[in-house]
């Protein structure tokens, strides 16, 4: 049962062992990448914070689905400018001009158009006046919206507007944009639409498309080319916009798409690697440590101690795992401020140890009879010394394999609890993400990119450890060793 | 007059089993003068290992009766509290090579550590210091220090036997008990081990108890011989006395059964089996197999003095024959 160099050779010569090791290395590398690049409080600061995802399209598939759809989906695009293009005098008034470009290359419509204005400094109490114009590839310029912003009375100058919260204008939803578009299509295409009809066909189609006749029906087709958003600002000469941002909503996003909060699933799933490994390793290490120590003590000491440990482990062993663990986590998670992940960890450990205790005890019972243990006792070694220096090394490979065996169980248990809504909403785990997709009806809506990847990752993690355990089996259980 | 290192008087060790009481050691007595070796011979199951275990006080849980007197250097050691016995006697003054120990070393620990461990346990040495000492003992025992880092399965039987002897010798005991130290080895290795033991005996003036079922082997190293039969010592005396002039019928048969080179005589063999140790016969335990059996044999015989240090437990030699 000793792990020697030949043990390693046996392990690495087995196909599953190698596969498991490669998968584990992959998981570890992913985890190290996350730990190096993500903030530690990523869950609270980024994942659960709607602000970090406000620009993103909602429930869109990954970009690479282009390969399968046959049409290039419109990619998500953000244009930012911090400098003015210059000034322009219109009707004797001098406007500062900011320009945001967008090149529509795909055969589709951006899903929305949004503009964000940050930190506008105003040097007069009269404030500023904004005009937002939209220029299309066909040369048409549409005035989308105009509005004024005035410093509150008696404020110090210069006053910075939109500093705490940027000004967000959802151009593809804004009612005044709708009226501008109605005028535009009426004069250009002679189309007499009502505002309701326009709402129905969607502003983006009008903004980024042209109408065509198809069987007596008007069908809007996307218009490729360069679009410009011009923001005109009327105010003092020194008045200034710190930053402008235009968001052209994509039909696809990133490597794994987004959820219904616009969250980048690839990012959240990547964060799941260290969490899964930590849950798996931590719970299995603690569970095996407790299970093995109690098993060794129980088997070696015998008598009352043995009796007590065995009765307790019998009882706990026969608890129905999932119902009890749900109950425990449910109760603990009601305590305010108690980290749920810790509750899950504690519950898995509390219910997980007895199996190993019972196994190890029976192994110790037979080891205890062996002469080298009697000899160790004869030379005067203490019970503690015998248990840890003589018995433990004999069981170490087995205990190690059990630890590996337990790891996928812990990962799956966490996933199951999260799926049942008992997970920690502030920490994106794979189970957590599946649960959210389930709650949002992702499966019914066909949002497969939200359901499948976390499921596959949970499976991958479990398989990794099962492979490693299978690779260890012939070393730990010499009877299986083929020579 | 040589001082006795060990004096054993009326020693009993009974075990309790669900079948009844096993009278494994039933009132034995013997002395070992300092620097001398006592051979204990007898058939399998006659109580040789039990005798050894009683001296080093390794009593199993089912011990039923443990009685008698054992004096080490004149000091009674049966009455010493267990804790003190463990600290001061066992392994420090009396060490033992257990029967079959060479085949049951801890498979996952390096042999160097196993040899050094008594020093760590008894003297509180740190590991490296203890290993240094083990290295010295290795050299004396005929093992290269490189073996310190080996695991038991990497060593041959002879080497492992040396390892167990080193384990017993590491604390420089006054008395070394060897329970069948060579029975699993082939003849040439057996001879090497016997030579090693003889040199230890000479060099350290070591007293030994050498347990075997092989009289020829016992005669090679022993100064005294005790013949055990069914839990009793039936004959005890200087080795030449017992070998050349055996008194007890069992001892006579046993010695006659040694095959001899260049002799026409067929080795004799003893018909029948020794009695069980649960409820053994009231009288002489050998009576059922004894060719000289007579009425008196239904009574238990006493130890009878023959001459010098030679004793026998047989009615043939008692007064009122
Ligand atoms: N713990 C025990 N409980 C019950 N009976 C025991 C116990 N230990 C030994 N015996 C019995 O006591 C008797 C003497 O055993 P012991 O091991 O002393 O014999 P031995 O002369 O050393 O034999 P061998 O040559 O086979 O080693 C045997 O019948 C054995 O079965
Ligand atoms: Mg024996």
């Amino acid at each position: 049962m000793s792990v020697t160099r030949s043990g390693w050779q046996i392990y690495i010569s087995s196909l599953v062992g190698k596969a498991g090791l490669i998968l584990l290395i992959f998981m570890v590398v992913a985890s190290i990448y996350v730990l190096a690049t993500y903030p530690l409080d990523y869950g609270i600061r980024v994942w659960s914070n709607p602000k970090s995802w406000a620009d993103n399209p909602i429930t869109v598939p990954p970009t690479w689905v282009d390969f399968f759809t046959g049409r290039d989906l419109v990619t998500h695009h953000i244009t930012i400018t911090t400098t003015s293009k210059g000034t322009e005098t219109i009707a004797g008034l001098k406007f500062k001009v900011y320009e945001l470009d967008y090149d529509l290359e795909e055969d589709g419509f951006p899903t929305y158009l949004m503009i964000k204005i940050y930190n506008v400094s105003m040097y007069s109490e009269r404030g500023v006046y904004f005009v937002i114009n939209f220029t299309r590839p066909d040369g048409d310029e549409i005035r989308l919206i105009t509005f004024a912003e005035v410093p509150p009375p008696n404020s110090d100058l210069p006053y910075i507007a939109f500093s705490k919260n940027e000004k967000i204008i959802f151009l593809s939803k804004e009612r005044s944009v709708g009226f501008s578009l109605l005028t535009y299509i009426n004069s250009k295409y002679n189309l007499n639409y009502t505002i309701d009809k326009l709402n129905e066909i969607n502003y983006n189609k009008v903004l980024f498309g042209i109408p065509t006749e198809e069987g007596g029906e008007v069908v809007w087709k996307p218009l490729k080319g360069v679009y410009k958003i011009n923001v005109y600002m009327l105010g003092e000469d020194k008045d200034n916009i710190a930053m402008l941002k235009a968001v052209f909503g994509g039909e696809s996003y990133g490597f794994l798409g987004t959820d219904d909060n616009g969250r980048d699933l690839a990012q959240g799933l990547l964060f799941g690697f260290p969490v899964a490994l930590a849950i798996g390793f931590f719970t299995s290490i603690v569970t095996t440590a407790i299970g093995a120590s109690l098993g060794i003590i129980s088997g070696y000491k015998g008598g009352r101690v043995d009796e007590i440990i065995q009765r307790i482990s019998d009882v706990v062993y026969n608890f129905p795992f999932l119902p009890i663990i749900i109950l425990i986590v449910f109760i603990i998670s009601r305590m305010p401020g108690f980290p749920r992940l810790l509750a899950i960890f504690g519950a898995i450990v509390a219910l997980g140890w007895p199996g190993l205790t019972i196994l190890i005890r029976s192994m110790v019972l037979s080891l205890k009879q062996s002469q080298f243990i009697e000899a160790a006792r004869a030379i005067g070694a203490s019970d503690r010394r015998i248990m840890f220096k003589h018995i433990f090394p004999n069981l170490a490979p087995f205990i190690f394999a059990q630890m590996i065996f337990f790891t996928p169980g812990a990962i799956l248990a966490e996933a199951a609890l999260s799926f049942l809504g008992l997970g920690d909403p502030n920490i994106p785990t794979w189970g957590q993400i599946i649960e959210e997709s389930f709650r949002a009806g992702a499966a019914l809506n066909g949002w497969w990119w939200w359901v499948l990847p976390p499921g596959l990752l949970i499976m991958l993690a479990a398989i990794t450890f099962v492979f490693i355990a299978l690779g260890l089996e012939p070393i730990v259980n010499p009877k299986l060793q083929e020579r | 007059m040589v001082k006795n290192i060990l004096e054993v008087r009326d020693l009993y060790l009974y075990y309790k089993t669900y079948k009844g009481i096993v009278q494994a050691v039933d009132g034995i007595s013997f002395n070992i003068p300092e620097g001398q070796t006592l051979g204990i011979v007898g058939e399998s199951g006659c109580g040789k290992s039990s005798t050894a275990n009683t001296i080093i006080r390794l009593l199993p849980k089912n011990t039923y009766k443990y009685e008698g007197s054992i004096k080490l250097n004149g000091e009674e050691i049966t009455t010493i509290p267990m804790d003190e016995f463990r600290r001061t006697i066992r392994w420090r003054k009396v060490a033992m090579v257990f029967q079959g120990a060479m085949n049951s070393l801890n498979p996952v620990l390096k042999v160097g550590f196993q040899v050094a461990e008594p020093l760590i346990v008894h003297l509180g040495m740190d590991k490296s210091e203890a290993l240094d000492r083990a290295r010295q003992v290795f050299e004396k025992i005929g093992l290269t220090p490189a073996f310190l880092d080996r695991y038991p399965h990497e060593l041959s039987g002879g080497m492992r036997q040396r390892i167990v002897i080193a384990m017993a010798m590491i604390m420089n005991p006054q008395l070394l008990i060897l329970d069948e130290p060579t029975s699993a080895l082939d003849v040439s290795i057996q001879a090497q081990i016997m030579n090693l033991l003889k040199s230890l005996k000479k060099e350290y003036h070591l007293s030994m108890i050498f347990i075997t079922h092989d009289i020829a082997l016992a005669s090679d190293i022993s100064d005294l011989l005790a013949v055990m039969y069914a839990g009793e010592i039936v004959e005890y005396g200087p080795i030449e006395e017992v070998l050349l002039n055996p008194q007890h019928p069992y001892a006579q048969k046993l010695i006659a059964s040694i095959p001899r080179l260049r002799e026409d005589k067929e080795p004799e063999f003893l018909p029948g089996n020794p009695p069980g140790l649960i409820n053994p016969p009231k009288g002489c335990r050998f009576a059922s197999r004894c060719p000289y059996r007579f009425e008196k044999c239904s009574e238990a015989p006493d130890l009878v003095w023959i001459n010098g240090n030679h004793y026998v437990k047989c009615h043939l030699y008692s007064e009122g024959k």
Side-chain angles (χ1 to χ4, degrees):
Chain A
M1 284 232 290
S2 66
V3 176
T4 55
R5 203 172 45 225
S6 75
W8 167 248
Q9 281 160 359
I10 293 166
Y11 176 82
I12 206 64
S13 68
S14 88
L15 203 64
V16 280
K18 235 181 297 193
L21 196 67
I22 289 168
L23 289 176
L24 180 68
I25 290 172
F26 167 70
M27 291 184 69
V28 169
V29 168
S31 305
I32 290 173
Y33 171 77
V34 168
L35 292 178
T37 56
Y38 283 43
L40 263 183
D41 56 350
Y42 172 80
I44 296 171
R45 204 159 85 191
V46 183
W47 186 253
S48 310
N49 180 3
K51 268 198 161 174
S52 17
W53 312 105
D55 292 348
N56 283 7
I58 282 163
T59 55
V60 292
T63 51
W64 46 261
V65 296
D66 287 2
F67 282 121
F68 308 102
T69 50
R71 170 176 84 81
D72 282 357
L73 296 179
V74 176
T75 46
H76 192 65
H77 192 83
I78 293 174
T79 309
I80 291 173
T81 185
T82 52
T83 49
S84 158
K85 207 179 86 175
T87 57
E88 209 172 296
T89 310
I90 306 168
L93 297 168
K94 207 161 86 180
F95 284 88
K96 236 179 188 172
V97 188
Y98 295 83
E99 188 180 277
L100 296 152
D101 290 353
Y102 171 60
D103 189 3
L104 177 61
E105 290 172 318
E106 301 89 353
D107 207 11
F109 301 98
T111 47
Y112 56 92
L113 173 63
M114 183 164 75
I115 192 153
K116 293 181 161 187
I117 307 171
Y118 298 82
N119 293 359
V120 176
S121 26
M122 302 183 239
Y123 287 84
S124 130
E125 67 271 16
R126 278 176 292 133
V128 294
Y129 183 69
F130 293 100
V131 176
I132 300 179
N133 279 9
F134 185 68
T135 311
R136 291 157 44 98
D138 53 14
D140 296 344
E141 186 165 6
I142 309 165
R143 173 153 306 169
L144 294 180
I145 196 169
T146 61
F147 65 98
E149 183 70 19
V150 181
N154 304 324
S155 47
D156 291 335
L157 294 176
Y159 174 76
I160 315 285
F162 314 138
S163 60
K164 209 152 160 208
N165 290 309
E166 70 272 27
K167 170 85 173 173
I168 301 171
I169 309 165
F170 226 105
L171 291 171
S172 56
K173 282 265 163 63
E174 188 70 38
R175 216 172 158 74
S176 59
V177 174
F179 287 115
S180 303
L181 291 177
L182 282 182
T183 327
Y184 167 66
I185 56 174
N186 185 280
S187 63
K188 171 127 197 216
Y189 305 114
N190 210 7
L191 284 169
N192 263 319
Y193 277 15
T194 61
I195 189 79
D196 287 341
K197 168 99 184 192
L198 187 67
N199 284 341
E200 209 176 281
I201 65 165
N202 231 328
Y203 297 177
N204 355 322
K205 286 198 180 162
V206 177
L207 282 167
F208 297 101
I210 42 169
T212 54
E213 262 307 311
E214 240 171 56
E217 289 268 327
V218 176
V219 176
W220 290 84
K221 287 269 167 69
L223 177 67
K224 292 189 191 179
V226 177
Y227 291 80
K228 285 192 175 91
I229 296 172
N230 288 308
V231 176
Y232 296 87
M233 183 174 72
L234 177 65
E236 299 291 316
D237 283 352
K238 283 203 277 180
D239 288 359
N240 177 51
I241 302 175
M243 185 167 92
L244 266 169
K245 191 195 233 179
V247 182
F248 304 86
E251 291 177 294
S252 63
Y253 186 88
F255 181 60
L256 287 175
T258 60
D259 69 4
D260 63 347
N261 284 313
R263 296 192 281 208
D264 182 358
L265 286 166
Q267 220 183 79
L269 291 172
L270 195 58
F271 187 76
F273 276 98
V275 181
L277 279 189
I279 291 171
F281 274 133
F282 206 47
T283 45
S284 68
I285 286 172
V286 175
T287 308
T288 352
I290 294 176
S293 318
L294 287 178
I296 291 175
I297 293 170
S298 177
Y300 184 74
K301 291 268 185 177
R304 279 283 291 282
V305 180
D306 181 34
E307 186 73 18
I308 293 168
I309 293 176
Q310 285 313 303
R311 286 299 79 77
I312 296 174
S313 47
D314 278 349
V315 170
V316 179
Y317 189 66
N318 287 304
F319 279 161
F321 187 72
L322 213 51
I324 294 283
I325 218 161
I326 289 169
L327 190 73
I328 296 178
V329 175
F330 180 73
I331 292 169
I332 294 181
S333 62
R334 300 236 121 181
M335 301 179 195
F338 196 91
R340 284 222 202 154
L341 212 53
L342 206 62
I344 292 176
F345 161 78
I348 297 174
V349 171
L351 292 185
W353 60 270
L356 190 58
T357 299
I358 294 166
L359 263 176
I360 291 287
R361 173 183 177 266
S362 69
M363 295 174 88
V364 172
L365 282 184
S366 75
L367 260 180
K368 192 165 79 162
Q369 304 300 321
S370 57
Q371 242 192 2
F372 58 84
I373 296 302
E374 248 170 71
R377 225 175 290 154
I379 65 158
S382 64
D383 283 358
R384 261 216 359 243
R385 193 177 172 85
I386 292 174
M387 288 192 280
F388 291 105
K389 290 254 152 123
H390 293 258
I391 292 181
F392 174 74
N394 277 280
L395 302 172
F398 177 79
I399 292 172
F400 180 70
Q402 288 297 311
M403 197 183 88
I404 298 291
F405 258 124
F406 194 78
T407 311
I411 293 174
L412 290 176
E414 189 279 332
L417 288 170
S418 291
F419 183 72
L420 293 170
L422 292 168
D424 196 327
N426 286 326
I427 298 170
T429 67
W430 298 329
Q432 193 68 41
I433 289 173
I434 292 195
E435 191 262 338
E436 281 162 359
S437 78
F438 184 73
R439 224 173 341 127
L444 295 176
N445 288 312
W447 301 330
W448 51 267
W449 59 90
W450 193 1
V451 186
L452 291 184
L456 289 174
L457 284 172
I458 292 169
M459 255 170 62
L460 174 93
I463 285 175
T464 301
F465 290 101
V466 171
F467 278 2
I468 295 175
L470 285 176
L472 285 174
E473 179 93 50
I475 305 165
V476 179
N477 191 349
K479 278 187 208 113
L480 289 176
Q481 241 175 65
E482 308 152 63
R483 293 246 156 180
Chain B
M1 172 87 201
V2 195
K3 208 173 79 187
N4 283 332
I5 182 132
L6 195 74
E7 289 172 5
V8 172
R9 290 289 170 276
D10 300 318
L11 190 62
Y12 291 86
L13 184 66
Y14 289 5
Y15 304 119
K16 190 175 183 149
T17 67
Y18 70 98
K19 282 191 194 146
I21 306 300
V22 182
Q23 306 182 3
V25 179
D26 206 15
I28 64 169
S29 305
F30 59 85
N31 297 332
I32 303 175
E34 206 165 43
Q36 297 203 359
T37 297
L38 169 74
I40 300 182
V41 296
E43 284 166 273
S44 188
C46 67
K48 303 183 294 292
S49 297
S50 300
T51 304
N53 291 343
T54 319
I55 294 165
I56 201 164
R57 217 198 281 179
L58 278 175
L59 308 174
K61 280 223 175 65
N62 62 339
T63 298
Y64 176 74
K65 175 176 173 180
Y66 160 62
E67 249 177 51
S69 152
I70 303 169
K71 284 187 176 155
L72 184 70
N73 288 321
E75 185 203 3
E76 181 63 49
I77 58 169
T78 52
T79 50
I80 295 177
M82 192 59 210
D83 208 42
E84 194 185 329
F85 186 87
R86 211 182 279 135
R87 257 185 300 116
T88 60
I89 308 287
R90 191 194 289 160
W91 233 261
R92 285 206 151 187
K93 292 187 175 158
V94 185
M96 180 161 166
V97 171
F98 296 101
Q99 186 170 3
M102 57 173 267
N103 293 322
S104 51
L105 285 158
N106 195 329
V108 297
L109 298 180
K110 291 178 179 169
V111 292
F113 175 77
Q114 298 192 54
V115 168
E117 199 175 17
L119 298 171
I120 301 172
V121 169
H122 282 274
L123 307 180
M125 278 190 191
D126 59 36
K127 200 171 157 187
S128 63
E129 200 180 346
L131 281 173
D132 268 353
R133 281 276 289 275
R135 186 183 323 253
Q136 293 163 20
V137 176
F138 264 48
E139 273 159 17
K140 283 201 191 100
I141 279 312
L143 291 170
T144 53
F147 284 7
L148 284 168
D149 284 330
R150 299 281 180 88
Y151 289 93
H153 67 90
E154 298 172 310
L155 302 179
S156 72
M159 291 171 188
R160 271 179 290 152
Q161 190 59 47
R162 285 170 198 264
I163 296 289
V164 240
I165 292 171
M167 241 169 116
M169 288 299 294
I170 190 101
M171 305 284 297
N172 280 322
Q174 300 165 352
L175 176 66
L176 179 62
I177 304 174
L178 300 132
D179 193 353
E180 312 218 8
T182 61
S183 44
L185 300 172
D186 64 57
V187 187
S188 65
I189 308 291
Q190 200 169 349
Q192 287 174 17
I193 298 292
M194 290 310 287
N195 286 337
L196 168 67
L197 292 175
K198 277 189 257 177
S199 74
L200 288 176
K201 179 183 174 186
K202 223 195 269 155
E203 192 175 336
Y204 296 97
H205 198 60
L206 192 64
S207 313
M208 299 197 275
I209 297 179
F210 184 88
I211 296 172
T212 177
H213 51 252
D214 182 343
I215 287 202
L217 208 58
S219 65
D220 191 26
I221 192 167
S222 307
D223 306 289
L224 297 155
L225 191 66
V227 179
M228 272 191 92
Y229 186 78
E232 297 176 328
I233 290 180
V234 292
E235 185 154 352
Y236 165 85
I239 187 91
E240 316 80 38
E241 274 285 316
V242 180
L243 284 182
L244 302 176
N245 191 17
Q247 301 295 311
H248 197 282
Y250 174 68
Q252 290 168 358
K253 291 277 178 191
L254 203 62
I255 287 157
S257 72
I258 305 174
R260 264 167 254 255
L261 227 50
R262 275 189 280 277
E263 231 176 75
D264 273 347
K265 224 168 69 181
E266 282 276 308
E268 287 182 37
F269 87 104
L270 197 55
N273 290 308
L277 295 179
I278 300 172
N279 293 321
K282 283 258 153 35
C284 172
R285 292 185 180 176
F286 187 62
S288 63
R289 299 165 89 186
C290 184
Y292 312 112
R293 172 181 61 237
F294 61 113
E295 309 85 66
K296 208 156 173 218
C297 294
S298 58
E299 289 167 31
D302 286 327
L303 208 55
V304 183
W305 178 80
I306 303 292
N307 56 44
N309 195 13
H310 192 173
Y311 297 85
V312 65
K313 201 169 205 172
C314 179
H315 286 299
L316 290 172
Y317 308 95
S318 45
E319 295 284 306
K321 178 183 165 182

